[in-house]
């Protein structure tokens, strides 16, 4: 979960354990399947989830790249359906979610974007992932201690394993 300022008002967060890349999920048979950067998405109808940083990033940068941002949708099942029915050309997601969506939808692939290079402008806070806990939860210190004992290489491998397991792919 991203530890945004708004979320921090109602829940506590662990230290950040992962930084995600924002990517665009597209159809394998679509016009944008071979794209490698936002500049390849000119005239693409792209959507993001309502009320998210994904939507803010899309709207902030769409005009620069000729992207046609669509009305934000409430959730990923809505965006998946819109892509399946070709109502849109793609949707913004974080890479782990995109991998899972593509594993569950054989007609999908995603554009491997790199934040602040070939992809969306994003700060470390924008793409930070942490554990969310009930405000005042006594487990927070223990969660942070456990995270501190895991190296970056181990974290990266754990995320790859988690993505692989959630998508049904082999390790």
């Amino acid at each position: 979960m991203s530890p945004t300022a708004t979320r921090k008002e109602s829940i506590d967060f662990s230290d950040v354990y992962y930084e995600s890349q924002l990517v665009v999920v597209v159809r394998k048979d679509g016009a944008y399947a071979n794209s490698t950067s936002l500049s390849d998405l000119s005239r693409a109808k792209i959507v993001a989830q309502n009320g998210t940083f994904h939507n803010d990033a899309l709207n902030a940068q769409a005009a620069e790249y000729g992207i046609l941002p669509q009305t934000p949708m409430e959730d990923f099942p809505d965006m998946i359906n819109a892509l399946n029915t070709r109502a849109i050309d793609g949707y913004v997601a974080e890479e782990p979610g995109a991998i899972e969506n593509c594993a569950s939808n054989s007609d999908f692939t995603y554009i491997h974007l790199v934040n602040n290079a070939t992809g969306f402008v994003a700060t470390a806070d924008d793409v930070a992932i942490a554990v969310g806990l009930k405000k005042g939860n006594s487990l927070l210190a223990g969660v942070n201690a456990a995270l501190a004992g895991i190296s970056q290489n181990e974290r990266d491998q754990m995320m790859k394993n988690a993505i692989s397991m959630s998508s049904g792919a082999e390790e």
Side-chain angles (χ1 to χ4, degrees):
M1 179 179 243
S2 297
T4 64
T6 302
R7 289 176 177 161
K8 286 179 180 178
E9 292 174 9
S10 59
I11 63 176
D12 290 332
F13 285 94
S14 71
D15 296 333
V16 171
Y17 66 86
Y18 181 74
E19 287 186 16
S20 187
Q21 300 294 319
L22 291 183
V23 301
V24 177
V25 178
V26 297
R27 292 186 58 85
K28 286 181 181 176
D29 62 356
Y32 302 96
N34 295 317
S35 299
T36 59
S37 69
L38 290 179
S39 60
D40 295 332
L41 296 176
S42 180
R43 310 223 15 93
K45 295 183 292 183
I46 306 295
V47 72
Q49 187 176 15
N50 192 28
T52 64
F53 161 69
H54 306 169
N55 192 52
D56 296 342
L58 173 62
N59 285 307
Q61 296 163 76
E64 177 182 351
Y65 296 103
I67 297 169
L68 307 173
Q70 303 298 290
T71 302
M73 295 186 176
E74 290 305 311
D75 54 37
F76 281 90
D78 288 345
M79 293 186 289
I80 290 166
N81 185 53
L83 187 56
N84 266 325
T85 62
R86 302 176 193 269
I88 60 171
D89 296 308
Y91 62 86
V92 181
E94 292 189 44
E95 192 168 31
I99 291 169
E100 182 179 359
N101 291 165
C102 292
S104 300
N105 297 277
S106 61
D107 293 332
F108 293 1
T109 188
Y110 72 94
I111 303 167
H112 299 266
L113 300 173
V114 177
N115 298 337
N116 304 310
T118 60
F120 295 97
V121 173
T123 67
D125 285 344
D126 292 330
V127 293
I129 306 297
V131 177
L133 299 163
K134 182 178 179 181
K135 205 81 157 140
N137 191 308
S138 63
L139 297 176
L140 182 60
V143 170
N144 283 334
L147 290 172
I150 304 170
S151 73
Q152 189 59 53
N153 287 341
E154 290 171 315
R155 290 174 193 216
D156 292 344
Q157 188 58 51
M158 290 169 134
M159 285 302 294
K160 286 179 186 174
N161 291 347
I163 291 166
S164 177
M165 285 186 252
S166 70
S167 67
E170 303 262 335
E171 278 187 53

